[in-house]
Amino acid sequence: MGTDYGALSLPGDSFRILHVSTGNVCRSPITERLTRHALADRLGDPLAGGLIVESAGTWGHEGAPMEANAEQVLADFGADASGFVGRELLDDHVIRADLVLTATRDHRAQVISMGHSAGLRTFTLKEFTRLVQAIDPATLPDPLDSTAGGVVGRARSLVRAAAALRGWLLAPSVEADEVYDPYGAPLPFFRSVGGEINEALSPVVRALTGVK
């Protein structure tokens, strides 16, 4: 974990992950900040490795803080909730994203309907987890290999591999790819959703970074 991954990424190169839910005050803020937390735990500084993590909502509460219960969930995991501001999903967010992870299949469909060739890089979070777990890590570039683009190169290869598998690994049920909305629910339900998200993120971050 002390390796300087940032020095091994291509100069100025980056990989942008966009998490999408409805209001951008519950699920996607939790997912954004848990992703950042997990990346920092593995890489030290994700930005140095070229990984940028953001979020937005299809009906985003522009400028709103995240829900208090979402902040508490992040505190439970030791993740930083500070400075968050809600955003409505814009074309530019999709255009700039290298990987879009959505809370539900409806969100995925909405992102893809925006165009910008988003289909091959847009997945529900749980769908992407399922696909990533089927990919042999040995087939991905070594994140320490600067000639292969470092962590950024590995992340791009992971998205391509997941997209290629999508038609072969279907969801076992309609609900399997959904993270349900806790908006307005009590804290125990928020914590349940946070646990789901954290569990789904773990193999994704491991695959992105090559660090267990």
Side-chain angles (χ1 to χ4, degrees):
M1 302 220 179
T3 304
D4 183 6
Y5 283 84
L8 299 174
S9 292
L10 297 177
D13 208 9
S14 64
F15 182 91
R16 195 173 293 265
I17 302 168
L18 176 67
H19 293 295
V20 175
S21 64
T22 304
N24 193 217
V25 291
C26 297
R27 288 169 291 181
S28 49
I30 291 172
T31 316
E32 173 196 312
R33 294 307 175 92
L34 286 180
T35 303
R36 290 187 186 182
H37 182 66
L39 288 171
D41 185 51
R42 289 165 172 81
L43 302 181
D45 180 2
L47 290 176
L51 302 181
I52 300 168
V53 186
E54 302 174 311
S55 65
T58 54
W59 291 88
H61 297 241
E62 188 73 29
M66 75 172 77
E67 285 287 293
N69 282 346
E71 290 191 0
Q72 182 57 55
V73 167
L74 292 174
D76 291 346
F77 285 102
D80 182 14
S82 65
F84 180 83
V85 178
R87 304 192 304 175
E88 183 164 357
L89 182 67
L90 303 176
D91 288 279
D92 186 56
H93 300 150
V94 177
I95 291 167
R96 297 170 67 196
D98 297 288
L99 171 62
V100 183
L101 296 176
T102 70
T104 69
R105 291 169 300 142
D106 283 347
H107 296 132
R108 182 185 64 195
Q110 288 179 67
V111 171
I112 293 172
S113 74
M114 294 171 72
H116 315 301
S117 304
L120 292 177
R121 51 195 166 90
T122 302
F123 309 80
T124 74
L125 170 61
K126 289 186 175 181
E127 174 192 23
F128 194 65
T129 300
R130 183 175 67 253
L131 297 171
V132 159
Q133 289 176 311
I135 296 168
D136 182 355
T139 64
L140 300 171
D142 185 340
L144 299 176
D145 183 359
S146 59
T147 64
V151 175
V152 168
R154 181 184 179 91
R156 289 180 176 154
S157 293
L158 182 68
V159 172
R160 289 194 295 269
L165 278 176
R166 197 195 315 249
W168 298 93
L169 286 175
L170 302 179
S173 68
V174 173
E175 296 80 18
D177 287 342
E178 306 284 293
V179 175
Y180 291 106
D181 193 355
Y183 185 76
L187 182 56
F189 188 70
F190 266 83
R191 284 180 163 145
S192 174
V193 169
E196 279 185 52
I197 290 170
N198 190 63
E199 183 178 355
L201 280 174
S202 183
V204 170
V205 175
R206 185 166 60 245
L208 283 168
T209 62
V211 181
K212 293 185 178 180

